[in-house]
Amino acid sequence: MKLIILAVGISLAVLASGSYVPSTITEAKYADKDFLIKQKFFFEILRNIHMPLKYDEYVPYTKTWVMDETKYTDYTQVIEFFDWFKTDSFLEKGEIFTIYNEQYLRQTYALFSFLYNSADWDTYYKNLIWARDNVNEGMFIYVVHLTVMHRPDLQGIVMPAIYEIYPYYFYNTDVIRSITYKKLYDPKFGFYGNGKYNVVYANYTMPYPKDYYNNFYSEDLISYYTEDIGLNSFYFYFMMDYPFLLGGDKFGLMKDRRGELYWYMHQTLLARYNLERMSNYMGTVKPLVWRFPLKTGYFSLLSYWNGVPFKSRDYNYMVDDESYIKLDWINAWEAKIRGIIEAGYYIMEDGTRINLRLPESVEFFGNLLNSNVDGVDANYVGYIEVFSRLLLSGNDFK
């Protein structure tokens, strides 16, 4: 009887929809033994990332990488990576990693090229184990996600959630402290003590007293949004799907209209951010103008794995003298972008004229702002997003 009701209901829904188009039926693909072995491998290789590998089957491959030239699609890039790695100038294990540092960015791309060029699963498997034990942990996590998302032979692999691999970037310091405390003093807490569930309470709306930063309307009021676990993990995966350092025909990201997606995604984030601000009587965010001192401060409640707190920005923030050259670059790049918008077109180096009045030009404009590999003339408008992040956080690209 239930099946009859369901069938009738579906039929009525089809008749009611004049735009109904039957979906293409595709056969489900079930995971075979080889796929499950790969899946198990990624769960194990990413566990306890700051500790040495404890699995006996992996330990022999931690000392050396696959040196057979025939096992790579582009051995030149492999040699370039190791020539650089042997100079001991690579970011060391235990150090804080960020993709917005020029040296770390170049090192990350070199490591990615080494692993991506592994011609088969066996070579990739052995090289990844070597990298797990020899390169910086943050860089390793970044590159593992890049290779899994962009190597054709790894499609379908489900990675552990990034907030489980590296919780320090997603759970505030108070939560990490509570977990550590309960693990030490509660024998029933933890995966082995209770395999079903473990609970730690966290209050993201008011983790500290209201006047902690002596400002009732501080950004801390909406830390439940800006430091939301789901939102930040979504942003991480988006940046892994469309990293600004990858592009071209080799990866085919332009087929997804990556520039338009970049533009749309940030518009969506800004809209939700404004909604949260208004619900806390803070009003919508004002346009960013590069005038200092900058009134709005930001104090993250997150800490790195070694206990160092995330960088904060004081109220009435002033940039140092050396950063004013970056400010000049950003202002010049913004002026160029405004000029392009006002003119309504852009002429590329080869003379091609791009009409920005057309709807499809949002793809071009998004790539231009993102300064990704699929963009054009990135040097003309510069790396405005990267340098804006650095200037507002008091960090340097070098």
Side-chain angles (χ1 to χ4, degrees):
M1 184 63 183
K2 290 182 179 179
L3 292 176
I4 295 174
I5 294 173
L6 178 61
V8 172
I10 294 174
S11 301
L12 290 174
V14 171
L15 292 173
S17 175
S19 60
Y20 171 74
V21 179
S23 61
T24 303
I25 299 176
T26 56
E27 185 179 351
K29 183 179 179 181
Y30 295 94
D32 54 20
K33 182 179 179 181
D34 290 339
F35 182 87
L36 294 177
I37 290 174
K38 294 178 182 179
Q39 183 68 76
K40 173 177 174 289
F41 168 72
F42 283 104
F43 285 152
E44 293 175 342
I45 202 75
L46 289 167
R47 187 176 183 186
N48 296 329
I49 194 67
H50 284 283
M51 298 177 63
L53 277 171
K54 297 296 185 181
Y55 300 94
D56 293 338
E57 59 187 298
Y58 302 148
V59 172
Y61 304 115
T62 60
K63 305 302 180 185
T64 185
W65 54 282
V66 178
M67 299 182 183
D68 186 352
E69 183 176 349
T70 63
K71 297 294 185 179
Y72 298 93
T73 56
D74 188 347
Y75 194 64
T76 303
Q77 290 186 318
V78 177
I79 293 300
E80 289 175 354
F81 165 72
F82 278 100
D83 285 345
W84 193 357
F85 184 80
K86 292 174 183 177
T87 62
D88 293 329
S89 60
F90 252 64
L91 182 66
E92 296 181 0
K93 289 177 70 69
E95 296 294 331
I96 295 173
F97 168 78
T98 173
I99 198 63
Y100 295 110
N101 177 284
E102 183 181 16
Q103 281 295 102
Y104 303 165
L105 171 62
R106 295 180 184 278
Q107 293 171 10
T108 300
Y109 184 77
L111 177 61
F112 168 79
S113 298
F114 162 55
L115 293 172
Y116 188 84
N117 281 305
S118 299
D120 52 48
W121 164 252
D122 185 64
T123 305
Y124 174 82
Y125 164 88
K126 294 176 181 177
N127 286 337
L128 195 64
I129 295 173
W130 175 87
R132 165 67 166 77
D133 217 49
N134 290 275
V135 302
N136 177 269
E137 298 86 353
M139 187 183 296
F140 176 79
I141 292 172
Y142 193 97
V143 170
V144 169
H145 281 84
L146 282 185
T147 55
V148 169
M149 289 186 175
H150 297 283
R151 275 183 64 109
D153 61 335
L154 296 179
Q155 298 305 300
I157 292 292
V158 178
M159 299 286 281
I162 185 59
Y163 50 80
E164 294 177 356
I165 300 172
Y166 225 55
Y168 314 99
Y169 285 16
F170 299 89
Y171 296 94
N172 68 37
T173 306
D174 189 53
V175 173
I176 298 295
R177 181 200 59 78
S178 297
I179 293 173
T180 305
Y181 181 85
K182 292 193 72 172
K183 181 66 176 175
L184 287 173
Y185 296 104
D186 186 352
K188 296 182 179 180
F189 183 82
F191 179 78
Y192 293 104
N194 184 353
K196 294 183 178 180
Y197 61 86
N198 293 280
V199 178
V200 172
Y201 293 99
N203 183 357
Y204 275 82
T205 57
M206 196 55 61
Y208 296 107
K210 280 186 180 181
D211 61 347
Y212 184 76
Y213 296 120
N214 299 314
N215 190 336
F216 182 84
Y217 293 106
S218 73
E219 291 294 316
D220 184 50
L221 275 177
I222 52 175
S223 63
Y224 66 87
Y225 172 73
T226 56
E227 297 184 2
D228 179 76
I229 298 166
L231 180 69
N232 282 289
S233 58
F234 159 77
Y235 192 79
F236 171 82
Y237 290 124
F238 180 84
M239 301 302 281
M240 292 295 100
D241 268 333
Y242 302 100
F244 64 90
L245 66 160
L246 299 184
D249 295 334
K250 185 176 182 179
F251 299 100
L253 299 182
M254 76 288 287
K255 296 178 182 177
D256 293 339
R257 306 208 313 257
R258 64 181 299 180
E260 183 176 353
L261 278 173
Y262 170 85
W263 184 255
Y264 169 77
M265 193 270 290
H266 283 87
Q267 280 188 319
T268 305
L269 290 176
L270 180 60
R272 180 59 186 270
Y273 176 65
N274 277 327
L275 185 64
E276 299 299 336
R277 287 180 62 90
M278 288 189 290
S279 67
N280 285 278
Y281 307 101
M282 298 172 67
T284 57
V285 66
K286 296 179 181 179
L288 176 63
V289 290
W290 298 104
R291 295 173 186 166
F292 294 90
L294 189 65
K295 180 180 178 181
T296 306
Y298 182 72
F299 300 85
S300 175
L301 301 179
L302 304 177
S303 298
Y304 294 102
W305 74 276
N306 56 5
V308 176
F310 271 38
K311 196 74 178 286
S312 62
R313 183 177 67 244
D314 293 330
Y315 292 111
N316 299 313
Y317 170 71
M318 286 290 295
V319 295
D320 56 53
D321 293 340
E322 295 180 358
S323 295
Y324 270 95
I325 187 173
K326 300 185 185 69
L327 182 58
D328 291 340
W329 292 343
I330 293 173
N331 284 324
W333 294 334
E334 281 193 359
K336 290 179 180 179
I337 292 174
R338 293 179 189 276
I340 294 170
I341 295 172
E342 291 172 359
Y345 64 88
Y346 179 74
I347 300 178
M348 297 196 298
E349 291 180 349
D350 61 2
T352 304
R353 182 186 177 110
I354 298 177
N355 185 358
L356 296 180
R357 308 297 186 194
L358 301 176
E360 57 268 24
S361 295
V362 67
E363 164 70 6
F364 161 82
F365 198 71
N367 285 329
L368 197 68
L369 289 180
N370 187 218
S371 301
N372 59 52
V373 177
D374 291 322
V376 294
D377 299 347
N379 291 330
Y380 179 72
V381 295
Y383 300 91
I384 191 167
E385 179 194 350
V386 173
F387 277 82
S388 296
R389 288 174 182 267
L390 296 173
L391 194 64
L392 291 172
S393 63
N395 286 310
D396 200 348
F397 189 54
K398 297 294 184 179

